[in-house]
């Protein structure tokens, strides 16, 4: 997706992508490539997501995992190049993973 779009565009696209990818399929495990370079202010990403968005998206994935695969989610840090914002986002993500 292009940089600089409205936050809602990214969120809706991800949610829609999950729905399309799982149509007629129930995963046994969800793998998350947690790329925090999509945070607003990241010098490489150019995206507009905020900390609350990562919290909400993670909770959405966790809710799906709970209904599909007994809550099995594996998350791996992929990117993020604004250290302070990366740390904040990772903490929010981990908290949401833990419920």
């Amino acid at each position: 997706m292009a940089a600089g779009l409205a936050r809602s565009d990214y969120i809706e696209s991800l949610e829609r992508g999950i729905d399309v990818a799982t149509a007629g399929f129930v995963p046994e495990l969800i793998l998350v490539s947690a790329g925090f370079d999509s945070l607003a202010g990241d010098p490489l990403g150019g995206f507009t997501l905020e900390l609350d968005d990562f919290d909400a998206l993670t909770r959405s994935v966790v809710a799906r995992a709970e209904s599909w695969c007994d809550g099995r989610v594996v998350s791996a840090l992929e990117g993020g190049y604004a250290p302070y914002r990366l740390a904040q986002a990772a903490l929010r993500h981990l908290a949401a993973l833990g419920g």
Side-chain angles (χ1 to χ4, degrees):
M1 294 186 72
L5 298 176
R7 294 163 52 191
S8 61
D9 290 342
Y10 300 119
I11 293 165
E12 290 168 11
S13 181
L14 178 62
E15 297 273 338
R16 190 172 42 255
I18 293 170
D19 291 339
V20 168
T22 57
F25 167 72
V26 178
E28 295 179 21
L29 170 72
I30 296 175
L31 302 172
V32 176
S33 178
F36 296 110
D37 48 347
S38 55
L39 267 169
D42 186 275
L44 297 181
F47 296 95
T48 57
L49 293 179
E50 292 294 343
L51 297 174
D52 288 343
D53 299 321
F54 282 95
D55 182 70
L57 287 168
T58 303
R59 289 181 191 283
S60 175
V61 168
V62 167
R64 291 167 191 252
E66 287 172 351
S67 70
W68 289 337
C69 53
D70 293 325
R72 289 186 296 271
V73 177
V74 175
S75 180
L77 178 60
E78 178 192 340
Y81 306 95
Y84 181 71
R85 298 274 287 162
L86 168 62
Q88 290 177 313
L91 288 172
R92 295 284 292 269
H93 178 65
L94 289 171
L97 284 172

